[in-house]
Amino acid sequence: MSSHEGTPAPSGAESPHRFATRCARAGTSGARGEWNAPLQPPIFQSAIFDLGSAADAEAIFSGKRKGYAYSRFGNPTVDVLAESLAGLEGGAGAMVTSSGNAAVLCAVTSALHGRKGPLVTHHDIYGGSFELLQILSEVYRLPLEWVDPANTEQWLDAVGRAGAVLVETPSNPLMRLVDLRQTVDRARSCGAPVIVDNTVATPLNQRPFELGADWVVHSTTKYLNGHGDLIGGCVIRREPLTKLHRAIHKNLGGTVNASEAAMALRGLRTLALRMEAHNRNGEAIARWLEGRREVTRVYHPGLPSHPQAELARRQMIHGGGLLSFELAGGEAAVTRFIDRLKLSVHAVSLGGPETLVTRPARTSHRGMSPEVRRQAGVSDSLIRLAAGIEDADDLIADLAQAIAAE
Ligand SMILES: *Cc1c(COP(=O)(O)O)cnc(C)c1O
């Protein structure tokens, strides 16, 4: 995690500009290349488009001419968001979805289409993705293999026989990392596409395509929109999207309206600026917590004490704004801590301006049995904190008064 002058210049895309510039200009007239255009992209809030003459309709539907028919198939405002997202992640094409879960479904379906072998993934993926895959396996017999990436031999063996691979790194809430380069190299040996859920890291902190991943998914609900006021997702491919991928996206049905796409685009334009604050606060809080005697453990990829600190340095540009920690006083101390917080908000999710605190065992991981939770390392006294963009000293002062034993 090098500290760098300016923001990274994403590779694999045409724009010569660095990350912050590209965020700030996402979807504006210059990026769209239209003459005398409104600086902000127009919101085409229409389900239906006039097809014109019989010949025009033929040209649109045959794909001879770029045109729109129906907003589930495509919409100009949504396309602007898709192009912006693809550009920021360094991919060739993107599909916008109505949620992060819809993005996972679309990516898994696209990656597995025409492939033999199971979807290989790990247990500590996002709870919603976990439940979705279980349903797909029960109803549609989706071949699924859960493997612990910490057991490198077992993980690489499964990846080498996979139909496709779904990886989430860093994982949530324990901030475990999966070695993307190693996973991609093994997946290549059997032609399995690798999907990376890059929601927690964001394209600013981790560049999966530069490490060889084939697909990236995001819950744009989190950092990319960044204001906690919409649910959304996207699927990005390193190589150009094919007709088949677009057909899968259109027919799964998890598309968005133009107004929501415009909102997500507005959020996206401040991503680089916001991530600086999330990163700074995440690191400051993690370091402060580590020095407190009331705290027994802190999990953050940017800490030298992280068990995979070396991999984090190689794979991530910054450790990010998400962390978790254990209080020495167990569950009673956790309850008291939550109830005493005045500034941080007791709420699920992450990536918005406000610092959010949850107890995974009582919220996101409630569906797991205590036994499975224990195996996963999610104890009853674990607290997850998603650093917002407030002043770090204010946040730390609030945590200090809440954490103090009396
Ligand atoms: C929130 C989240 C999702 C699901 O996104 P929704 O927008 O809630 O559907 C998927 N992956 C990760 C890592 C997430 O944090």
Side-chain angles (χ1 to χ4, degrees):
M1 279 161 286
S2 55
S3 66
H4 44 74
E5 293 288 320
T7 49
S11 67
E14 300 107 50
S15 168
H17 294 130
R18 285 168 176 269
F19 204 90
T21 311
R22 299 172 60 160
C23 284
R25 299 299 183 85
T28 56
S29 53
R32 300 199 311 277
E34 297 160 11
W35 185 78
N36 193 217
L39 185 57
Q40 307 308 331
I43 301 172
F44 290 90
Q45 191 71 19
S46 183
I48 307 150
F49 295 78
D50 190 331
L51 295 172
S53 71
D56 289 342
E58 189 53 33
I60 292 169
F61 273 86
S62 67
K64 286 209 176 71
R65 227 169 107 191
K66 169 92 178 162
Y68 296 93
Y70 187 59
S71 278
R72 178 161 53 76
F73 310 167
N75 174 287
T77 313
V78 180
D79 282 356
V80 172
L81 174 61
E83 276 162 33
S84 303
L85 290 164
L88 291 176
E89 194 60 86
M95 302 182 282
V96 176
T97 57
S98 55
S99 69
N101 258 42
V104 171
L105 175 61
C106 186
V108 164
T109 309
S110 299
L112 275 177
H113 197 284
R115 296 272 314 154
K116 287 203 172 61
L119 179 74
V120 170
T121 189
H122 47 105
H123 270 116
D124 51 351
I125 55 172
Y126 175 71
S129 308
F130 179 81
E131 288 184 33
L132 168 66
L133 295 179
Q134 281 203 316
I135 291 168
L136 295 181
S137 136
E138 281 162 22
V139 179
Y140 303 121
R141 308 271 178 273
L142 169 80
L144 194 55
E145 206 170 312
W146 305 99
V147 185
D148 181 2
N151 187 332
T152 310
E153 202 179 319
Q154 224 176 9
W155 171 253
L156 292 178
D157 176 58
V159 167
R161 302 179 273 102
V165 183
L166 172 65
V167 187
E168 196 176 309
T169 179
S171 75
N172 172 8
L174 291 172
M175 306 281 106
R176 292 189 177 128
L177 307 189
V178 179
D179 189 325
L180 288 179
R181 176 84 69 187
Q182 194 182 48
T183 300
V184 162
D185 284 349
R186 181 56 62 91
R188 288 252 163 87
S189 71
C190 67
V194 175
I195 307 164
V196 177
D197 187 331
N198 206 27
T199 301
V200 168
T202 80
L204 204 75
N205 285 343
Q206 182 167 269
R207 319 272 322 145
F209 289 141
E210 289 171 22
L211 300 168
D214 302 281
W215 296 87
V216 165
V217 296
H218 280 281
S219 165
T220 55
T221 313
K222 315 293 167 51
Y223 291 109
L224 299 196
N225 173 59
H227 290 74
D229 52 6
L230 64 77
I231 300 285
C234 67
V235 181
I236 308 167
R237 189 165 190 245
R238 183 164 46 82
E239 300 289 323
L241 293 163
T242 65
K243 263 193 180 150
L244 172 74
H245 303 136
R246 296 205 184 272
I248 288 170
H249 174 246
K250 158 178 119 174
N251 289 301
L252 287 180
T255 45
V256 301
N257 289 317
S259 51
E260 294 237 317
M263 262 178 89
L265 197 55
R266 184 163 78 165
L268 191 63
R269 291 180 55 187
T270 54
L271 175 67
L273 185 63
R274 290 184 286 103
M275 284 314 295
E276 272 181 38
H278 287 297
N279 285 343
R280 191 170 57 238
N281 287 349
E283 193 168 311
I285 292 169
R287 285 181 188 280
W288 179 82
L289 285 168
E290 236 185 6
R292 295 290 304 209
R293 61 184 164 75
E294 297 90 343
V295 177
T296 52
R297 241 333 303 231
V298 184
Y299 304 88
H300 183 266
L303 289 176
S305 62
H306 190 283
Q308 295 161 294
E310 193 272 324
L311 175 59
R313 265 192 301 278
R314 248 191 298 132
Q315 181 161 292
M316 299 184 73
I317 297 158
H318 196 284
L322 195 67
L323 58 106
S324 57
F325 59 100
E326 300 264 1
L327 285 182
E331 258 209 286
V334 172
T335 309
R336 202 184 49 216
F337 169 76
I338 298 269
D339 290 345
R340 279 161 61 155
L341 286 172
K342 294 191 174 78
L343 183 58
S344 290
V345 183
H346 184 201
V348 299
S349 197
L350 59 118
E354 310 87 3
T355 295
L356 307 177
V357 170
T358 54
R359 308 163 68 183
R362 290 274 169 274
T363 56
S364 53
H365 291 63
R366 205 183 176 100
M368 281 184 179
S369 69
E371 182 53 34
V372 174
R373 262 205 310 272
R374 219 177 351 266
Q375 279 171 10
V378 178
S379 81
D380 289 344
S381 52
L382 187 75
I383 299 169
R384 193 193 76 176
L385 186 147
I389 61 172
E390 307 95 330
D391 183 276
D393 290 345
D394 287 340
L395 291 170
I396 287 172
D398 182 47
L399 296 173
Q401 64 78 29
I403 233 168
E406 211 39 70

